[in-house]
Amino acid sequence: MSTVDKKIAFGVPSSKLTGEKSLYQDAESKAGREVVQVVSADDERLAELGYKGEFKREFSLLETVAFAFSIMAVIGGVSSTLSFGLVSGGHVGMVWGWFIPCLFIMCIAASMAELASSMPTSAGLYYFSAKLAPERYSALASWVTGWANVTGQVTLVCSIDYTVAQMITTAIAVSTDGAVVLGAGPTYGILLAILVVHGVICSAATKILARLNLFYGILTGMRPNHPGATIAAVVALLVCSGENKVSTRTAFTSFENNTGWGNDGWAFLLAFAAPMWSLTGYDSAAHISEEVSGAARAAPIAILTSVAAVGGMGWILIITVSFTTLSVPALLETDLALPMGQLLLDVLGKRGMLAVWSFTIIAQFLCGAAQGVDASRVVFAFARDNALPGSRWWRRVNNYTRTPVNAVWLVIALSALCGLLGFSATAFSSLAGASVIGLYTSYATPIFLRITSGRHKLVPGPFSLGRWYMPVGAISVAWVAFIVVLLCFPPSQMTTAADMNYAPAIVLAVFVFGGGSWVVSARKWFVGPLPNIDVHDGFEAKEM
């Protein structure tokens, strides 16, 4: 480890993480050496982690929570993934296929919150891995985690925006009474248009993004005292269905295997894909931590609050859907792109369905925009450490907006490329599977290192699991290992090229590229997170 790496300790205790002004107020530049101006406790902590502050800290605690919540928009996630539960167990698949994974996801979120509190940097997960791994394998751990996270981030942007396109085609079909049913080509065209709009939004200044995300959270139902789209859907379904509901026993215990797999237990497990996809992206609170005031406190709060809220509200919506689903086969046979649209049409009628659906589209659209911001920050941070081809382009920060505009458009371009899967019958399930495998692999890697080689390396931040870090971390890693294997299987035993699960192919392609790059070249020059600061009074200088 270099002198610079030793000087910049990643877990230095600090009692100054509340946003007060720091003693380090001056900046200077001498003989080609850059000195960071540290103007707050947040930037002082960032300097201790090895990075200079390049963003304005415009996100408050509430806005940070709203940002993490928005990426997991409740009604959008449930509407997009309802078919998973319907196929894999019917009522049981919907209700318990959502509830059970949420318990394990909370363990993962708690472990991640502890890491984010200790090391609040946009580098996030791959930085955590580098600092917790044995020194000999630090760079490799960082490389694997970073590429897994980038894969998950990009495919998550694409999968979210693809569901927005599906929602729009569903609305068109309903509004024209089935006269206009758009196919894969027009759907891909809509996807491209959505991606371009999101690229423009994600290129905006941080202050604008912060305010937008607060609006996202309110619209998607972040707080119960706001009539968000999720609450509106629950109330509308319960009221308008009247007596046309199934019994409590049916809603919670009726099982139907529509997967094509002969084993009912295995078929039910496939329903876990719904919440696993819906509850992704909460690491976003860590990735925007360099734009957050009081990041060491705000990031863990945002992670835990958003996961608990989305999991709980999602289950309430799912239970409501289960009670109002009179026939599972009828929903699965719909000509609409998404079965949730058919359920709303059956219960609310055309006008009611379009009213609720319009809010669902807006919520999911804003969810995609929030995820675009998150993905661009991951690409920026990884490029800042020279880990991506063309890193010098993707790490640039726009002088006007003070945001990584180049990284934004790289994410948009890669998402458009992934969107070509829309021409297959299993487009969404493949994209969803790839995003879950990529993201949760990147979540589990630093957690695994935390409970093994990093047991005594982490100096806790304001949020800590204490002695519970070991059992919580072990449960998290075991669950992710199980889920990754599960999501590599096809939706049925007999598959064709049109309906196979392409998630493993996507992930494998990235890891072959990343692994090949490591063996051929990167292992010789990639050393993990690179400090880019030169601060006097306690920090080692670094030539720029």
Side-chain angles (χ1 to χ4, degrees):
M1 181 179 293
S2 68
T3 303
V4 172
D5 292 329
K6 290 179 180 178
K7 288 282 186 178
I8 301 172
F10 72 92
V12 178
S14 176
S15 60
K16 303 177 183 178
L17 298 174
T18 56
E20 314 97 313
K21 295 293 182 181
S22 166
L23 295 177
Y24 300 98
Q25 298 288 342
D26 300 320
E28 58 181 342
S29 181
K30 297 180 179 179
R33 295 159 64 85
E34 180 176 344
V35 180
V36 178
Q37 180 182 16
V38 185
V39 297
S40 69
D42 289 307
D43 286 336
E44 180 182 344
R45 181 65 184 125
L46 185 61
E48 292 172 351
L49 297 175
Y51 297 117
K52 63 180 179 180
E54 299 185 77
F55 302 111
K56 293 182 179 179
R57 293 187 180 272
E58 302 281 6
F59 279 82
S60 66
L61 171 60
L62 181 59
E63 289 161 346
T64 306
V65 173
F67 182 81
F69 187 95
S70 301
I71 291 179
M72 301 181 287
V74 181
I75 190 168
V78 171
S79 297
S80 302
T81 61
L82 183 62
S83 60
F84 293 169
L86 290 172
V87 170
S88 303
H91 293 275
V92 169
M94 285 190 287
V95 175
W96 301 111
W98 181 279
F99 178 78
I100 293 173
C102 285
L103 300 178
F104 295 96
I105 293 172
M106 278 303 302
C107 291
I108 299 170
S111 294
M112 187 185 300
E114 181 182 48
L115 297 177
S117 182
S118 174
M119 298 172 277
T121 168
S122 293
L125 300 163
Y126 79 87
Y127 185 96
F128 305 160
S129 292
K131 298 306 179 181
L132 295 172
E135 184 174 346
R136 179 181 178 185
Y137 301 106
S138 175
L140 178 60
S142 179
W143 183 265
V144 171
T145 305
W147 276 101
N149 196 238
V150 169
T151 303
Q153 293 286 345
V154 171
T155 51
L156 185 57
V157 170
C158 182
S159 59
I160 292 173
D161 284 1
Y162 182 75
T163 60
V164 178
Q166 287 186 309
M167 290 176 183
I168 292 174
T169 62
T170 296
I172 293 173
V174 171
S175 62
T176 61
D177 296 319
V180 179
V181 178
L182 300 179
T187 300
Y188 182 69
I190 295 172
L191 168 64
L192 292 180
I194 294 168
L195 286 170
V196 170
V197 175
H198 279 164
V200 174
I201 293 174
C202 296
S203 299
T206 301
K207 185 174 183 179
I208 296 174
L209 294 173
R211 302 300 179 269
L212 282 174
N213 279 289
L214 183 58
F215 170 68
Y216 300 172
I218 293 174
L219 179 67
T220 55
M222 180 184 70
R223 292 183 287 176
N225 60 319
H226 282 86
T230 303
I231 299 171
V234 169
V235 173
L237 285 171
L238 290 176
V239 172
C240 295
S241 61
E243 298 298 321
N244 295 320
K245 299 183 183 71
V246 299
S247 66
T248 300
R249 180 174 182 177
T250 297
F252 285 93
T253 63
S254 176
F255 181 85
E256 299 179 37
N257 181 359
N258 299 296
T259 64
W261 286 95
N263 187 292
D264 288 345
W266 178 258
F268 168 68
L269 293 179
L270 295 177
F272 291 175
M276 292 306 300
W277 180 79
S278 298
L279 277 77
T280 52
Y282 45 88
D283 57 316
S284 59
H287 297 144
I288 64 166
S289 59
E290 293 181 28
E291 301 167 70
V292 175
S293 178
R297 175 175 171 267
I301 291 176
I303 291 171
L304 292 171
T305 303
S306 61
V307 171
V310 172
M313 293 181 66
W315 200 44
I316 292 173
L317 178 57
I318 283 289
I319 291 173
T320 303
V321 168
S322 185
F323 270 105
T324 54
T325 298
L326 302 181
S327 172
V328 171
L331 283 187
L332 292 175
E333 292 170 3
T334 180
D335 292 328
L336 299 180
L338 297 171
M340 185 68 170
Q342 185 64 54
L343 176 65
L344 292 172
L345 181 62
D346 293 342
V347 177
L348 308 181
K350 180 178 177 179
R351 291 186 177 181
M353 179 270 179
L354 290 175
V356 172
W357 202 243
S358 63
F359 281 102
T360 304
I361 293 173
I362 295 172
Q364 192 72 343
F365 176 84
L366 298 178
C367 170
Q371 174 55 29
V373 173
D374 184 23
S376 66
R377 274 31 174 196
V378 172
V379 169
F380 161 79
F382 210 33
R384 183 170 58 183
D385 293 319
N386 297 320
L388 294 176
S391 287
R392 66 190 184 94
W393 292 98
W394 316 130
R395 65 176 177 236
R396 290 185 178 179
V397 175
N398 185 274
N399 292 329
Y400 178 72
T401 64
R402 303 304 301 167
T403 54
V405 173
N406 291 0
V408 168
W409 289 101
L410 175 62
V411 169
I412 297 302
L414 292 175
S415 297
L417 182 62
C418 291
L420 291 172
L421 275 176
F423 291 93
S424 73
T426 56
F428 175 62
S429 60
S430 296
L431 289 169
S435 62
V436 171
I437 293 172
L439 286 174
Y440 274 92
T441 297
S442 68
Y443 296 173
T445 303
I447 296 174
F448 172 76
L449 294 170
R450 166 73 173 111
I451 62 176
T452 53
S453 60
R455 290 194 305 275
H456 306 297
K457 292 185 177 182
L458 188 80
V459 177
F463 174 80
S464 172
L465 292 175
R467 60 189 177 89
W468 291 101
Y469 83 91
M470 181 63 76
V472 172
I475 291 171
S476 300
V477 173
W479 175 255
V480 171
F482 164 70
I483 285 296
V484 167
V485 173
L486 179 70
L487 294 181
C488 288
F489 280 83
S492 63
Q493 286 180 296
M494 303 299 294
T495 61
T496 63
D499 58 10
M500 72 171 285
N501 179 10
Y502 286 94
I506 297 173
V507 175
L508 181 62
V510 174
F511 273 84
V512 166
F513 176 79
S517 298
W518 175 263
V519 172
V520 173
S521 174
R523 63 188 176 87
K524 302 174 184 177
W525 51 263
F526 182 73
V527 295
L530 290 172
N532 65 353
I533 64 170
D534 173 16
V535 183
H536 291 313
D537 301 321
F539 297 103
E540 177 75 6
K542 179 181 182 294
E543 293 289 344
M544 300 299 291

